[in-house]
Amino acid sequence: MTEPNKRQVPRIVVIGGGTGLSVMLRGLKEKPLDITAIVTVADDGGSSGILRNELQIPPPGDIRNVLIALADVEPLLSDMLQYRFNSGTGLAGHSLGNLMLAAMTDISGDFVTGVRELSRVLAVRGRVLPAAGQAIVLHGEMIDGTIVSGESNIPKAGRAIKRVFIEPANVEPLEEAVEAIRSADAILIGPGSLYTSIIPNLLVPKLAESIVESEAVKMFVCNVMTQPGETDNYSVSDHLAAVHAHIGHHLFDYIIVNDGEIPPQVQMKYAERGAKAVHLDLEEVTRRGYKVIADRLVLFRTYLRHDAARLSHHIYQLVESWMERKEVR
C-alpha cells in the first residue's frame, strides 16, 4: 500500500539525438528519475541510412546509442553492441546494435515493438521511443534560398541555415510519446546537433504542441562547441532564437550551459575543424526571460564531452526544486 504523502519518482522526458544525449543519459540513469527518451528519426547517413533505405525502417543509430546509455549491462556487452564491422561485403560499416534493432523489427513486426523488446533484453532503465513510428526526411533551406535534402547533407552545404523542415510535415508522433510529455514533471531538450538532432523532434506537430501545453519544468542543455556547417559562430542566445523561430514559442524555463574554461590546446584542436566554444551571452539570454544555470560541465578525453555526473546533478536539483514548489501550490 502506498504511503499517503510519499512523493512519486519524478517523470522526466528527454528529447534529442546524437552522442551528447547518450552521454547525458548515462548520468541521469543513476538518479531516482522515471526517464522517457524521445529520439530523432531523421538520420540518413552511414549504417542507419543504409538500413533505413533497404529495410524501410526508421534509422536505428540514435536509438541504439540511447538504449546502450540506459542499459544495465556489462561494459563488454555495450562494446559489442557498438562494434562496427570494418570488412565484409554488405557488412562493413554496420554496427552490431543497428543490425540487432533491424532483426528485432523483423521478428516483432514493427520498429517500435522491436525497440521495446530490445529494451527489455538490455534491462534499460526507462523507456526509449522514436519521435515517430516512421522515418522522416529532413530538408534545410539555406540563407541563399537553396534547399538541401537529407540530414547528413545539410551541414555539408557550406552555407548558413535559414530553417529546416520535415517531410511528411504532418507525421504522427507515437501516442506513448505524447502521453509521456503530458504526464511529465520535467522536459529536457538537448544537447545535440541543433538543426539535425534537436529541432527535427520539435517539428513533429503534436510533440511540439504537447511540450508547449505542458506544465512541466522545461530545460535546454546547450552544446559546448559550435558545429561546423550548422551553428558556426552561434552564441547561446542564437541557439535559443533558432528554436523559437521554428516553434514560435518561448519554450524553456532554464538554460544549462558550460562556463568552464576549455584548455587552449583543446580549443586549437577544435578550431582546425572550424568549431569553437559556444559563447554565453548571459545578458541577452536573461533579457529574453530565461533562467541560466552555468557551471564547469565539460570533460576532455579524445573529444570534449559533457560531464555526465555534474550535468545530471544540476538537472536533478532543478527537478527536485520544481516538485517541491508544485507541492506547496
Side-chain angles (χ1 to χ4, degrees):
M1 190 170 174
T2 307
E3 296 174 29
N5 295 322
K6 189 171 182 180
R7 186 200 294 171
Q8 296 294 312
V9 174
R11 292 164 296 196
I12 185 168
V13 173
V14 184
I15 302 172
T19 308
L21 180 66
S22 303
V23 169
M24 181 178 66
L25 286 170
R26 291 181 192 278
L28 280 180
K29 76 176 180 182
E30 303 302 329
K31 301 293 183 184
L33 293 167
D34 179 349
I35 300 171
T36 298
I38 299 175
V39 187
T40 181
V41 286
D43 188 10
D44 64 358
S47 169
S48 283
I50 293 168
L51 293 172
R52 165 183 172 146
N53 292 333
E54 292 188 357
L55 302 181
Q56 301 302 302
I57 63 172
D62 284 331
I63 296 276
R64 178 199 80 236
N65 284 329
V66 170
L67 285 172
I68 294 169
L70 289 173
D72 193 7
V73 294
E74 294 295 322
L76 182 59
L77 180 54
S78 291
D79 292 344
M80 188 172 73
L81 291 167
Q82 293 287 40
Y83 177 76
R84 199 172 291 275
F85 295 92
N86 53 29
S87 61
T89 304
L91 196 57
H94 286 296
S95 73
L96 181 59
N98 283 1
L99 296 176
M100 287 179 68
L101 271 169
M104 277 291 198
T105 300
D106 212 27
I107 291 166
S108 65
D110 70 89
F111 185 72
V112 175
T113 306
V115 172
R116 189 181 297 123
E117 289 302 306
L118 192 55
S119 296
R120 187 175 55 80
V121 170
L122 297 176
V124 165
R125 299 188 198 179
R127 286 190 300 168
V128 180
L129 302 171
Q134 66 181 91
I136 59 176
V137 178
L138 187 67
H139 303 283
E141 181 185 352
M142 301 301 157
I143 204 76
D144 63 359
T146 58
I147 303 295
V148 177
S149 296
E151 177 267 346
S152 59
N153 295 322
I154 291 169
K156 300 174 187 173
R159 296 181 292 280
I161 300 167
K162 181 179 179 182
R163 69 180 182 111
V164 291
F165 56 100
I166 60 172
E167 184 184 356
N170 61 347
V171 63
E172 286 286 324
L174 295 186
E175 190 55 39
E176 291 169 83
V178 173
E179 285 303 317
I181 291 169
R182 286 176 179 161
S183 62
D185 299 301
I187 298 169
L188 179 63
I189 295 174
S193 301
L194 180 64
Y195 288 102
T196 53
S197 289
I198 293 174
I199 290 176
N201 295 295
L202 303 177
L203 294 177
V204 177
K206 289 181 185 174
L207 281 189
E209 290 169 17
S210 300
I211 295 168
V212 170
E213 292 167 3
S214 170
E215 294 184 1
V217 59
K218 298 162 195 172
M219 299 168 276
F220 179 75
V221 179
C222 193
N223 291 341
V224 174
M225 305 297 289
T226 61
Q227 186 169 349
E230 197 157 332
T231 54
D232 299 282
N233 299 313
Y234 270 38
S235 65
V236 173
S237 69
D238 290 329
H239 282 75
L240 298 169
V243 174
H244 192 283
H246 283 79
I247 312 306
H249 288 274
H250 183 98
L251 213 53
F252 310 109
D253 302 298
Y254 291 92
I255 313 302
I256 303 173
V257 298
N258 172 62
D259 70 348
E261 187 178 345
I262 298 170
Q265 67 272 21
V266 177
Q267 293 192 47
M268 286 175 62
K269 181 176 179 179
Y270 273 83
E272 290 170 5
R273 287 182 276 165
K276 64 180 184 180
V278 173
H279 170 61
L280 171 54
D281 47 345
L282 183 59
E283 188 175 326
E284 180 61 23
V285 175
T286 53
R287 187 188 69 78
R288 296 183 187 186
Y290 302 101
K291 301 181 187 73
V292 176
I293 306 294
D295 193 6
R296 180 173 53 81
L297 296 176
V298 288
L299 296 172
F300 178 74
R301 293 188 178 96
T302 308
Y303 300 98
L304 276 173
R305 292 284 182 259
H306 275 98
D307 182 330
R310 207 174 186 101
L311 178 58
S312 59
H313 169 76
H314 282 293
I315 293 165
Y316 185 68
Q317 290 294 105
L318 283 175
V319 175
E320 278 286 276
S321 62
W322 186 266
M323 296 290 285
E324 287 167 7
R325 289 201 294 274
K326 271 178 68 176
E327 287 174 359
V328 170
R329 294 198 300 267

